[in-house]
Amino acid sequence: MRSDKIKKGVGRAPHRSLMRATGLDTEDINNPIIGIANSYNEFVPGHVHLNELVQSVKRGVRHGGGTPVEFNTIAVDDGIAMGHEGMFASLPSREVIADSVELQGFAHQFDGLVVLSSCDKILPGTLMGAARLNLPTVVVTGGPMEPGHLHGENIDLSTVFEAVAKVKDGDMSEDDLIEVEKHACPGAGSCAGMFTANTVSAITEAMGLSLPYCSTAPSRSTQRETIAHNSGRRVVEMVNEGTRMSDLMTPENFANGLTAGMALGGSTNMVLHVLAFAHEAGTDFDLDYVSEVSESTPHVADMSPAGPFRVSDLHVAGGLPAVMDTISDHLNTDVQVAESGTLKERIDRELEEVDRRVIHDADDPVHDLGSIAVLKGSLAPKGGIVKQTAVSEEMLYHKGPARVFESEEDSVAAIDNGDIEPGDVVVIRYEGPKGGPGMREMLTPTSRISGGELSGKVALITDGRFSGATRGAAVGHVAPEAAAGGPIRLVQDGDTIEIDIPNKKLNLLVSDEELEAREKNFDGTYEPDTHGRKFLARYSYSVAGADEGAVLKS
């Protein structure tokens, strides 16, 4: 066993003595030692219950003959960090989480690993760290939050953000907003729609890294506790079998995960995170491949924020096994999955009656194409992405004048002051991985647009990123970013921008001669404001572009 390095032989008596100080006895020390990377904390809804769920994981590990050893990672809540300087910490925290998982497992020579995590960047970060360790690994996600209920309708976090726009437009009272606020997020779990957290959880299950229904079973349910217990038992079996995480991170497994994300209408952030995860797994692919997968995948589940259904509805409708069966012609079902056997065997074993109101048949999809379109052109030579399944038909092609802002805050002020007109293209730059630094999520400006009178009338383009709750003609991840010398830094107010989602184009309709003149007269390099934070300075110096997953360059 790998842990023999810290526990076998006369020379390891001091090590064993320290283990005994934690309460372990001889049998515990001799058993396979299973690290549990738990991102529990008391300030993030997707994590507040993980201190309870981890007990089921530990029981499973013990029942399987292993010794569970829990450690923790940090967790930044994007919703709470949104709209202020705290959001600069969000994406960089993914790298801190990955490093912490890798370092803990490397230092203590665990035999196996259970990842217990949830939410945007946090789950991806733990996956990245686990990929580096390449131990026998099972992933247990925290599960989705139930939707809120108000006036007979289901609501969720995106409802609150969009309600703010309604108050500012005079279409809702502040008292009504408070009622929405109180009811939208009823308890523990990752936000109820197919936002980034649940998208990445679904991708993880579709890849075979977690057990069936792990991505959809309610956060506080006996089914989730059973999944957690069985995951703990299974990882010990994997240690004994010699099954490692790399066996579940083949290019085919990644393709299956990405295909499932597209079929579910998953968030733009999934592209950033899957690119980074694949990079750590040594199975690199690029945005062109993402585009190929999306164009060959039907969108079969009309999930919030663009549709009416939440993850709880998806679970009752058949969960990921039903989705995978529905799109099986687009998958490699011979790949290995966590519980042993193949994806095909999982589907055949788990599949029950499917509710076609929620999960459409592949021959009658919600949309013919998957959720993400990769746009390229003179404004985004290396690509930008948009959630095309959340764009109204009239905005799939749009040409309009640019309104340029150097930060998210400036754009929000302009929207709130009524300075943005129908037809405008809001351009927010210097918000990319290097330029932000940290590539802030910008749900505030997109929800101001999609929740207000400008909905379906205004487009937004940025080198930053969006929340998974974003909908509308919002193109993000524009690369190269402004701080890396991308064309977006040369855009001026009034320039005509063309967004052509069906033809995958994003163009700045300015002559080459004019752009050359602007380039010649450009007034120097951009120095990002790191807000006095050393980690932001290090991040800005080392980070790659969004088209590469915003990974840190070695």
Side-chain angles (χ1 to χ4, degrees), residues 94-95 99 128 132 276 279-280 284 382 433-435 480-481 483-485 537-554:
R94 186 187 71 180
E95 310 309 314
D99 288 348
M128 291 164 65
R132 297 173 190 172
H279 172 79
E280 299 295 355
D284 287 356
K382 292 187 177 181
K434 180 180 293 293
E481 63 176 293
R538 292 195 299 267
Y539 185 86
S540 181
Y541 178 78
S542 301
V543 71
D547 58 303
E548 299 178 70
V551 296
L552 297 187
K553 295 174 286 189
S554 58

Side-chain angles (χ1 to χ4, degrees), residues 310-371:
R310 272 69 179 185
V311 179
S312 56
D313 301 310
L314 181 67
H315 183 67
V316 174
L320 257 292
V323 173
M324 302 298 273
D325 180 66
T326 297
I327 61 171
S328 59
D329 288 347
H330 304 271
L331 302 172
N332 185 326
T333 58
D334 293 329
V335 298
Q336 187 174 348
V337 293
E339 68 272 28
S340 80
T342 66
L343 176 61
K344 183 179 187 306
E345 291 168 337
R346 170 187 286 190
I347 293 170
D348 291 344
R349 181 178 63 252
E350 300 293 340
L351 189 64
E352 299 177 355
E353 185 176 351
V354 181
D355 185 345
R356 291 300 178 193
R357 293 172 299 177
V358 179
I359 304 171
H360 289 219
D361 191 274
D363 294 330
D364 182 30
V366 182
H367 297 96
D368 292 334
L369 305 179
S371 61

Side-chain angles (χ1 to χ4, degrees), residues 82 157 161 408 441-448 466-467 469-470:
M82 193 83 65
L157 183 64
F161 272 96
E408 175 189 5
E441 276 193 353
M442 290 184 282
L443 181 55
T444 301
T446 59
S447 61
R448 291 286 208 276
F466 304 118
S467 164
T470 290

Side-chain angles (χ1 to χ4, degrees), residues 18 26 104 114-115 175 261 266 306 340 484 486 498:
L18 291 169
T26 300
Q104 191 84 26
V114 175
V115 167
D175 287 343
S340 80
E498 179 187 46

